[in-house]
Amino acid sequence: MKIGILGNGQLGQMLMDSVQDIPELEISLYDLRAHSDDALDAFLASVDRVSYETENIPAHIVARLEPVAEKVYPSLKALKTFQNRLLEKNALRAAGIATADFCAVNSLDDVKSAVVTLGLPIVLKTTTEGYDGKGQYVLRSPDDAEPAWAAIGNRELIAEAFVKFERETSVIASRDVNGNILVFPMTENIHHEGILRYSLFPAAGLSAAKAALAERYIRQLADSLDYVGTITLELFETADGLVGNEVAPRVHNSGHWSIEGTEASQFRNHMLAISGRALGATTPKYPAVAMLNVISDETPAEKAEGISNAFRHSYGKEARPARKLGHVTVVAQSVAERDATIDQLSALIPAGVWPPVQH
Ligand code: AMP
């Protein structure tokens, strides 16, 4: 079976690598940045299944997928839903998942009414094309309405009530064509300046009740869309529950640790699911695992070379500020061993961001 993936970045590459041992699967990657309509149409015609490494696909390219919709996994419906934050929040609610209160904003007057209906602070976000905290504005006073609209407005926005979360977590699952779902262990995610810096499994002190709730949420979400492939749900953890924030219809940075850390990785299960195969087990192979992103500068990652329980992945990209150049996975027999290894690699993490703040 031939599988074509839209996007040839690190996610596409890791999806491809994950099934190198299955000769029946022939994988090719399409470079979205070098797009031409003819090249895309030829690519789509040459494969049996189409998938994508990113939901940030321009509308004119999504339109060209319509005629081959039956071979696109996850479905075009899922792609379009999670391309737009309003559709996304509605889908979360429809699947029974708690979210912040929100409303659509299409004018400065709408911003002002959102301040009244949602209360302050509110987070204003562009409905499309926002990632790593871009296209966002936090309003803390009614006077912020005008600067906020000037900064990111003049297009469709979503206003969300500010969630006073204790930390950010994510849950990832894969669903096969028969509706079987396997869920990966939850991770705790630590961001800095809008970019994920590291993920931890297990999430410290995560209650069994919250872990079960996250699992129920992602099952409900995947089932509600008859989803096929790997899906990620980012959740805010609050004192008394979990609040759905964002969905990625794909493998996710917070699941990279699954390459070494679980029986089957998020990448492999995505490929197994979309090719109609049974999923591999998502059970952890170690009691504790961490993933550290390598951002802007590869040199601190060189430290991982001498550490036997650290695995370095380099994406072969040119260094640029704020660019993800690779990641390092740490596997350990205990949280203490994991954290001692992270200490050795702490040059990868900005000052003050490791260890995570305890709430
Ligand atoms: P997002 O692009 O939606 O993942 O948002 C980027 C970051 O902004 C999140 O990781 C949070 O740290 C923060 N954030 C987003 N939405 C909210 C919200 N409704 N309340 C509080 N913080 C938020």
Side-chain angles (χ1 to χ4, degrees):
M1 175 184 281
K2 292 184 177 170
I3 301 179
I5 294 167
L6 304 182
N8 65 345
Q10 66 265 23
L11 301 183
Q13 196 62 51
M14 288 188 274
L15 285 165
M16 182 149 118
D17 294 347
S18 73
V19 286
Q20 287 299 354
D21 61 319
I22 307 178
E24 299 78 33
L25 295 183
E26 214 181 292
I27 321 297
S28 47
L29 306 182
Y30 177 80
D31 182 357
L32 282 164
R33 289 158 309 174
H35 169 76
S36 80
D37 287 351
D38 288 348
L40 178 63
D41 291 347
F43 181 80
L44 297 175
S46 71
V47 296
D48 306 299
R49 294 276 190 283
V50 180
S51 195
Y52 40 90
E53 66 159 11
T54 173
E55 61 279 18
N56 285 320
I57 302 177
H60 68 275
I61 295 185
V62 176
R64 297 198 91 76
L65 303 177
E66 298 284 358
V68 295
E70 77 290 344
K71 55 184 181 186
V72 179
Y73 292 90
S75 69
L76 276 183
K77 185 181 174 208
L79 173 62
K80 289 180 192 168
T81 302
F82 301 125
Q83 278 189 324
N84 180 300
R85 290 184 192 275
L86 274 170
L87 300 178
E88 177 174 73
K89 282 278 184 317
N90 283 323
L92 287 171
R93 287 277 177 100
I97 298 169
T99 72
D101 286 335
F102 64 94
C103 61
V105 165
N106 287 293
S107 65
L108 177 57
D109 278 348
D110 287 353
V111 183
K112 291 178 180 167
S113 357
V115 169
V116 176
T117 50
L118 301 175
L120 288 165
I122 61 175
V123 186
L124 207 58
K125 306 176 180 177
T126 56
T127 52
T128 58
E129 287 156 31
Y131 63 92
D132 287 347
K134 294 189 177 67
Q136 297 200 10
Y137 202 108
V138 180
L139 284 81
R140 300 188 184 277
S141 117
D143 295 340
D144 293 336
E146 279 175 31
W149 180 251
I152 61 166
N154 293 306
R155 56 186 292 181
E156 187 187 49
L157 305 176
I158 179 173
E160 296 176 12
F162 192 91
V163 179
K164 290 186 187 64
F165 58 83
E166 294 183 337
R167 61 177 172 183
E168 299 188 65
T169 63
S170 59
V171 61
I172 300 177
S174 307
R175 186 173 184 274
D176 73 15
V177 291
N178 298 315
N180 300 304
I181 301 179
L182 288 179
V183 182
F184 289 89
M186 258 175 112
T187 60
E188 172 175 356
N189 302 322
I190 290 82
H191 300 83
H192 178 67
E193 294 176 351
I195 300 177
L196 179 67
R197 297 306 303 223
Y198 61 97
S199 294
L200 301 174
F201 159 75
L206 181 74
S207 70
K210 281 181 179 164
L213 180 63
E215 178 158 346
R216 180 160 72 73
Y217 275 172
I218 198 150
R219 285 177 181 276
Q220 287 170 193
L221 180 65
D223 282 340
S224 71
L225 289 158
D226 197 14
Y227 191 93
V228 176
T230 293
I231 185 167
T232 306
L233 173 60
E234 292 184 52
L235 293 158
F236 295 133
E237 185 177 352
T238 62
D240 48 15
L242 296 170
V243 177
N245 176 40
E246 230 190 349
V247 180
R250 56 170 167 82
V251 291
H252 191 261
N253 196 173
S254 64
H256 288 4
W257 66 274
S258 63
I259 294 176
E260 290 86 8
T262 56
E263 294 294 337
S265 72
Q266 60 165 354
F267 302 97
R268 186 171 175 87
N269 271 351
H270 183 77
M271 300 305 278
L272 295 175
I274 68 170
S275 63
R277 289 171 163 72
L279 301 171
T282 54
T283 37
K285 287 160 67 176
Y286 305 90
V289 187
M291 187 287 310
L292 285 64
N293 269 334
V294 179
I295 304 213
S296 312
D297 176 11
E298 284 256 47
T299 45
E302 286 163 11
K303 284 193 164 190
E305 304 307 340
I307 304 175
S308 62
N309 60 329
F311 300 86
R312 181 182 172 185
H313 297 252
S314 177
Y315 307 151
K317 288 177 166 179
E318 219 178 282
R320 252 194 249 146
R323 192 176 207 194
K324 290 175 185 166
L325 304 174
H327 71 269
V328 175
T329 306
V330 172
V331 300
Q333 294 307 329
S334 67
V335 167
E337 186 199 348
R338 179 196 72 188
D339 292 357
T341 309
I342 300 175
D343 283 339
Q344 287 180 268
L345 294 163
S346 60
L348 285 169
I349 304 173
V353 179
W354 167 257
V357 181
Q358 300 297 314
H359 293 277

